[in-house]
């Protein structure tokens, strides 16, 4: 194993790998492939931030246009936003850079391999490999990749290859059917991306309440709540909605309604929506009696 992004020539089964592009995910995944012993032959980096990431995580790897990276690569790793991917694949296929036997991998969560059909039509071996991780674009991510659950989608004959790529990235491959990729990605986005919004809102509420370091104040509570939820699911639910404390919920909404800044208007709406959802889920799971839930709902605007 080597930390040299151009090294690994002496290991069997290693490939010439191209990365499009050096975004937060691509730069880290490229470095992971280098650590696994693959040879990095090119990377795209259009923005200044991408060029800086490439310089740090992929030193000495040539920065090239996407078609040139594809032409050099035996394994082409496409790390671009979900909505950008279809156009990029079509562009690369039309350029003639995609060729028979080349491995083309995308790391988007939403798509299976259908989005790579223009490459498959030119004889490429197409794989979808998605680590279930949020990326910072720094070397810290390389420490988080080992053991990371990684969704793999491919034709049955190519699943072993997709699983091997996931392992080279440091992940634990999990097969996800192409038809389930959108739901799979929705789950990750809802659980991780919307969590950031929720935590940000809670921090803003604490700031309004005079707490100067809301992140430090929230950390023990949120880490415990997340750990309990991951271990026990919805049975870990606590708090006034789960207890049917309608008067407390009414006090919460009154306090949020008194915030008069336009930038705070989303706080009450989000609180009320999630309280309704929480009450409904608590009734369905038998944790809250219907009459208690009705009192909670009456307390919401």
């Amino acid at each position: 194993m080597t930390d040299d992004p151009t090294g690994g020539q002496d290991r069997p089964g290693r490939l010439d790998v191209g990365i499009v592009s050096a975004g937060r995910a691509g730069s880290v995944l490229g470095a992971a492939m280098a650590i696994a012993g693959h040879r990095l032959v090119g990377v795209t980096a259009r923005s200044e931030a991408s060029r800086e990431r490439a310089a740090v995580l992929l030193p000495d790897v040539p920065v090239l246009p996407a078609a040139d990276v594809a032409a050099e690569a035996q394994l082409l790793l496409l790390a671009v936003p979900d909505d950008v991917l279809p156009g990029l694949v079509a562009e690369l296929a039309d350029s003639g850079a995609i060729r028979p036997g080349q491995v083309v991998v995308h790391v988007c969560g939403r798509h299976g391999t259908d989005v790579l059909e223009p490459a498959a039509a030119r004889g490429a071996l197409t794989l979808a490999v998605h680590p279930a991780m949020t990326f910072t674009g720094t070397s810290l991510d390389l420490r988080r990749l080992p053991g990371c659950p990684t969704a793999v989608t491919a034709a049955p004959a190519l699943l072993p290859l997709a699983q091997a790529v996931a392992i080279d990235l440091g992940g634990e491959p999990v097969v996800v059917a192409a038809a389930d990729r959108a739901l799979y990605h929705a789950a990750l986005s809802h659980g991780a991306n919307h969590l950031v919004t929720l935590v940000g809102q809670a921090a803003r509420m604490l700031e309004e309440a005079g707490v100067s370091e809301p992140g430090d104040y929230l950390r023990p509570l949120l880490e415990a709540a997340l750990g309990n939820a991951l271990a026990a699911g919805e049975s870990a639910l606590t708090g006034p909605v789960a207890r049917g404390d309608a008067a407390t919920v009414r006090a919460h909404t009154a306090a949020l309604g008194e915030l008069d800044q336009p930038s705070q208007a989303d706080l009450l709406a989000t609180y009320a929506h999630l309280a309704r959802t929480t009450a409904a889920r608590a009734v369905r799971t038998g944790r809250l009696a219907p009459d208690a839930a009705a009192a909670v709902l009456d307390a919401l605007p």
Side-chain angles (χ1 to χ4, degrees), residues 45-57:
R46 293 185 177 181
S47 69
E48 182 178 351
S50 292
R51 289 190 291 273
E52 290 175 355
R53 278 189 291 266
V56 172
L57 290 169

Side-chain angles (χ1 to χ4, degrees), residues 229-247:
L230 292 174
E234 291 180 274
S235 64
L237 181 65
T238 63
V241 172
R243 294 190 298 267
D245 292 346

Side-chain angles (χ1 to χ4, degrees), residues 36 51 73 95 134 143 158 193 239 266 270 280:
R51 289 190 291 273
S95 75
T134 185
R143 303 174 192 173
L158 295 179
N193 306 147
D266 61 305
T270 303

